[in-house]
Amino acid sequence: SSYTLSMRPFSLLPLLLSLSSLIDTTLSCDSSCDICLTSSDFEIGTYRITDPGKYCISSDIVFNPLPGDVSTPNEKFNWYPNDEDLYPACDDLRNGPFALGFFAVISIECDDVEIDLNGFELSMHPYFYIEQRFFSIIEIGNTPFMEGAGPTNFGPLKSLNNIYIHNGILGLSSHHGIHGNNATN
């Protein structure tokens, strides 16, 4: 019996593109960065900064956490936090910062934080933009409202100091680009 060996064309292009994106990410987060943030850091919701340091964005981020199906966008808890430990008040829908859902792409919850956007853009996905009408790209604080204000009890506000956000674009947001209460410096 005889065998015929047939070869399919092989392209290195997909491999090279994958390597290129890894190199771009590495180059955009230099050694001065304490934490490099990628799109995967935002898949389940708001990235909560609770430790001082320099945080660097390594690609454009289009925030669309826990998306629902476009044909049934209002199914229970589509685009809504579901981890009470990470997002306090998401289970009770009252008495905590995430009672009304994700309110920011990034929440800064401690003093002495630098965010270097590295020329990249942070924005809401258009579908999430329709779902969440009160939102900030970056919230300087642990809650979107001062204690006793707003449509529910969001809990006590931590006033923050020494926050530096620079070098990028704040894109689509249903409410604020950067928001904070009682922040200084």
Side-chain angles (χ1 to χ4, degrees):
S1 74
S2 75
Y3 294 97
T4 305
L5 180 62
S6 66
M7 305 224 8
R8 295 189 325 188
F10 177 73
S11 172
L12 290 176
L13 187 59
L15 176 62
L16 292 174
L17 289 174
S18 296
L19 291 174
S20 170
S21 67
L22 288 174
I23 291 167
D24 288 345
T25 298
T26 304
L27 291 177
S28 64
C29 279
D30 61 38
S31 61
S32 71
C33 302
D34 297 313
I35 303 286
C36 293
L37 300 174
T38 67
S39 58
S40 64
D41 292 308
F42 301 89
E43 288 175 355
I44 64 162
T46 300
Y47 187 87
R48 300 178 65 200
I49 296 177
T50 57
D51 293 312
K54 182 176 181 182
Y55 294 76
C56 298
I57 304 300
S58 62
S59 66
D60 289 336
I61 306 296
V62 179
F63 191 68
N64 194 27
L66 307 173
D69 184 293
V70 177
S71 64
T72 57
N74 296 315
E75 287 291 316
K76 188 173 185 175
F77 298 111
N78 285 351
W79 291 282
Y80 207 83
N82 59 17
D83 184 330
E84 180 71 26
D85 294 330
L86 285 175
Y87 304 108
C90 71
D91 287 349
D92 291 337
L93 309 180
R94 59 193 166 109
N95 299 325
F98 292 90
L100 298 180
F102 297 115
F103 58 88
V105 176
I106 297 173
S107 64
I108 302 171
E109 303 180 23
C110 63
D111 293 333
D112 304 315
V113 170
E114 176 182 352
I115 297 177
D116 185 348
L117 298 171
N118 271 321
F120 294 110
E121 179 176 357
L122 297 178
S123 65
M124 291 178 91
H125 188 282
Y127 295 153
F128 186 58
Y129 171 84
I130 292 169
E131 289 292 321
Q132 178 57 288
R133 303 309 299 156
F134 185 83
F135 191 81
S136 301
I137 299 296
I138 298 174
E139 181 70 35
I140 302 173
N142 58 321
T143 177
F145 287 93
M146 297 174 72
E147 191 166 17
T152 189
N153 177 10
F154 290 97
L157 172 71
K158 209 190 258 187
S159 297
L160 301 178
N161 302 290
N162 302 319
I163 308 300
Y164 180 43
I165 302 164
H166 62 99
N167 191 23
I169 300 166
L170 302 178
L172 179 66
S173 175
S174 61
H175 212 75
H176 304 287
I178 299 172
H179 177 259
N181 290 301
N182 294 339
T184 58
N185 243 6

